[in-house]
Amino acid sequence: MATKQFNSFEMAQKQFDQVADLLGLDQASRDLLRVPLREYQFSIPVRMDDGKVRVFRGFRVQHNDARGPSKGGIRFHPLETIDTVRALAMWMTWKCAVVDIPLGGGKGGVVCDPHNLSQREQEQLCRGWVRQLAKNVGPLSDVPAPDVMTTPQHMLWMLDEFEVIHGAKQPGFITGKPVGMGGSLGRTEATGYGLVFALREALKELGVQPASTTASVQGFGNVAQYAIRLYTQIGGTVTCVSCWDQTDQTSYAFRKKTGIDFEQLLGITDHFGGIDKKKAKDLGYDVLPGDAWIEEEVDILIPSALENQVRGDNIGKVSPKVKVVAEGANGPTTPEADAELRQRGIFVIPDFLANAGGVTCSYFEQVQSNMNYYWEKDEVLGKLDVKMTSAFAAVSELSRRQKLFMRDAAYVIAISRVAKACRDRGWV
Ligand code: NAD
């Protein structure tokens, strides 16, 4: 029997409906917020290197812009669908609202696999995407950014096309640009550091000194690396990390009970975040099956690789010692596992709060680009700390006051803020 395919937009709507019930949200606000305000679906003809024209399908969804211009990445992915883009746009609305930045939620995509496209073809695709949307996006309405398989170079081609069409320099149109061409210092560190700013506050609340804690991390890419760097700097000890091995097409966990040496591991890691097994063994690491990270007897788990990693079938392996789960990845925990985390009283820093440092720094990039004045890295990271700390404080205060699970408290804050903006504007 054919099973119904997972649909992320249906899941996003279900999550919204639950919180709308909790908030007693009126019908008009529900009708407005459970679907996007605007959607664009279009064709992008590209003359390929062999002289033939190929037509790609492109999307942009603006879920809600009551709090400010829509913000969200553009994915290049062969399996991209309008429903995935709708879900991601809705999640961006909540993410921007929970950290209280004056932006709405958007997302875009193109059905393609950039691995099979030349640089010239990718450039044409980027320029074609902008040509189709030039009147519907912009620094005052909708600000795209990179996402899965899109890069700073793609952003620069898109910016260039936008500026040619509008006949003016408008670097605030897009974020994730290369540093020196309108990009912000600190963006590389932002998501991992932002997670640790929130984690530091959580430990403070639990009355635990970071220096007395241990952590196990899934992933060793951008988010995980910077999270580990800062967590180690505040005194924590990481005993295990896991990553994907391109050669064996499987994942491995790398464990050192006394604590990993971050810089040493970084020295044997490729730029996809894959660690060299043989060299790790020589350096005294236990090389274990990939899912061993979740069984570690630590205080903190930091899933920072993929979605759907903490599930009903492996939640039972989480050690009773674990006090905090800080979700670096998007959607790492399934609803089944989430129920168990609630029941065990584990303190969860939910994904759209824990990894919001990335979009917060993108907002800083947009502000700097609009002013055409760029800040030093310390200034960017200092402002990021302030934003993450106050967002965490608001969520955790509500969670304590109303005895809500942290994930629910974060949703309640985000959805209330957006619903209020819609009401205040007189939309509903
Ligand atoms: P990345 O590509 O830099 O790193 C991913 C890491 O995960 C790599 O070390 C890879 O080896 C590892 N990995 C992949 N499959 C694995 C598996 N099955 N088991 C164990 N490890 C595995 O990606 P990233 O930018 O660090 O993003 C990680 C997650 O964080 C994603 O869910 C992403 O959507 C989310 N996120 C990233 C940002 C950001 O700014 N980079 C912002 C918000 C959310």
Side-chain angles (χ1 to χ4, degrees):
M1 198 176 78
T3 51
K4 193 168 175 297
Q5 260 200 336
F6 172 75
N7 182 312
S8 46
F9 185 48
E10 284 173 13
M11 184 172 118
Q13 287 187 313
K14 212 175 274 172
Q15 289 167 340
F16 168 76
D17 291 341
Q18 281 166 3
V19 181
D21 287 345
L22 207 65
L23 284 170
L25 210 59
D26 62 278
Q27 193 57 45
S29 299
R30 286 173 193 245
D31 293 345
L32 188 67
L33 292 175
R34 76 190 303 283
V35 289
L37 271 182
R38 272 170 240 107
E39 298 183 355
Y40 303 95
Q41 298 189 46
F42 45 92
S43 296
I44 310 170
V46 171
R47 187 161 302 278
M48 307 297 280
D49 291 348
D50 64 5
K52 292 190 184 128
V53 171
R54 205 172 129 196
V55 179
F56 293 88
R57 199 72 192 140
F59 309 110
R60 185 70 182 172
V61 172
Q62 294 161 355
H63 171 259
N64 190 280
D65 56 11
R67 288 173 46 84
S70 305
K71 183 94 195 75
I74 303 168
R75 288 187 168 199
F76 283 179
H77 199 280
L79 302 177
E80 192 68 302
T81 67
I82 184 67
D83 271 347
T84 314
V85 182
R86 285 172 175 145
L88 293 164
M90 191 190 256
W91 286 325
M92 282 304 296
T93 303
W94 313 143
K95 193 182 285 199
C96 292
V98 82
V99 279
D100 205 11
I101 53 179
L103 297 172
K107 205 81 183 186
V110 177
V111 184
C112 71
D113 187 349
H115 294 111
N116 304 328
L117 300 172
S118 70
Q119 285 292 301
R120 194 199 64 83
E121 290 164 345
Q122 291 181 42
E123 178 179 346
Q124 291 312 307
L125 195 54
C126 290
R127 292 184 184 277
W129 191 92
V130 171
R131 278 200 294 273
Q132 295 297 346
L133 281 171
K135 293 188 183 64
N136 311 106
V137 292
L140 303 178
S141 57
D142 183 0
V143 182
D147 199 87
V148 173
M149 286 202 265
T150 47
T151 64
Q153 175 63 72
H154 293 134
M155 298 304 108
L156 200 50
W157 284 325
M158 288 183 168
L159 174 67
D160 189 65
E161 188 67 24
F162 187 84
E163 291 182 335
V164 167
I165 292 169
H166 290 277
K169 296 296 171 200
Q170 300 193 28
F173 157 58
I174 206 160
T175 64
K177 302 179 292 292
V179 171
M181 287 300 292
S184 177
L185 292 169
R187 176 62 188 89
T188 316
E189 295 87 344
T191 309
Y193 277 21
L195 180 142
V196 175
F197 294 144
L199 175 61
R200 177 195 65 203
E201 296 305 304
L203 293 176
K204 222 182 267 176
E205 214 159 84
L206 296 169
V208 178
Q209 288 296 328
S212 69
T213 62
T214 50
S216 177
V217 182
Q218 188 190 34
F220 200 59
N222 173 262
V223 178
Q225 285 177 13
Y226 286 98
I228 293 170
R229 174 175 284 172
L230 192 58
Y231 170 68
T232 313
Q233 276 171 16
I234 64 170
T237 303
V238 173
T239 60
C240 186
V241 300
S242 78
C243 64
W244 185 254
D245 188 288
Q246 291 287 351
T247 317
D248 297 357
Q249 287 293 299
T250 186
S251 57
Y252 293 103
F254 298 82
R255 184 177 66 190
K256 202 175 247 186
K257 288 275 188 197
T258 52
I260 65 156
D261 179 333
F262 172 65
E263 297 294 340
Q264 188 187 55
L265 265 192
L266 205 56
I268 57 167
T269 302
D270 63 29
H271 71 273
F272 298 109
I275 298 169
D276 186 313
K277 288 196 302 294
K278 169 147 184 353
K279 289 184 181 155
K281 244 182 219 159
D282 292 346
L283 291 169
Y285 288 86
D286 302 323
V287 180
L288 308 167
D291 49 7
W293 75 279
I294 206 173
E295 303 172 23
E296 279 294 292
E297 215 176 285
V298 288
D299 305 289
I300 302 159
L301 291 178
I302 309 179
S304 298
L306 302 169
E307 65 286 347
N308 198 25
Q309 296 302 299
V310 185
R311 302 173 303 266
D313 63 291
N314 63 10
I315 186 75
K317 295 181 180 165
V318 170
S319 157
K321 189 168 184 242
V322 170
K323 299 177 189 67
V324 180
V325 175
E327 297 178 335
N330 285 317
T333 309
T334 66
E336 212 180 346
D338 208 36
E340 173 89 12
L341 293 176
R342 285 170 196 243
Q343 200 253 325
R344 285 214 223 164
I346 292 176
F347 193 104
V348 172
I349 311 177
D351 51 2
F352 71 108
L353 171 62
N355 68 32
V359 72
T360 304
C361 195
S362 296
Y363 161 59
F364 295 156
E365 176 177 337
Q366 191 202 349
V367 172
Q368 293 170 78
S369 289
N370 287 338
M371 292 191 298
N372 212 1
Y373 173 73
Y374 292 87
W375 311 334
E376 297 303 322
K377 190 191 268 192
D378 280 355
E379 190 175 352
V380 175
L381 295 176
K383 284 178 164 46
L384 179 67
D385 193 349
V386 170
K387 272 279 169 210
M388 291 303 296
T389 301
S390 58
F392 176 87
V395 173
S396 104
E397 193 272 328
L398 180 74
S399 150
R400 268 177 286 128
R401 185 158 43 85
Q402 295 196 1
K403 299 203 174 7
L404 290 173
F405 188 53
M406 280 288 283
R407 195 184 309 281
D408 296 341
Y411 267 118
V412 163
I413 287 188
I415 293 175
S416 308
R417 283 182 180 155
V418 180
K420 180 174 185 311
C422 295
R423 274 197 308 277
D424 289 353
R425 283 178 181 272
W427 290 358
V428 284

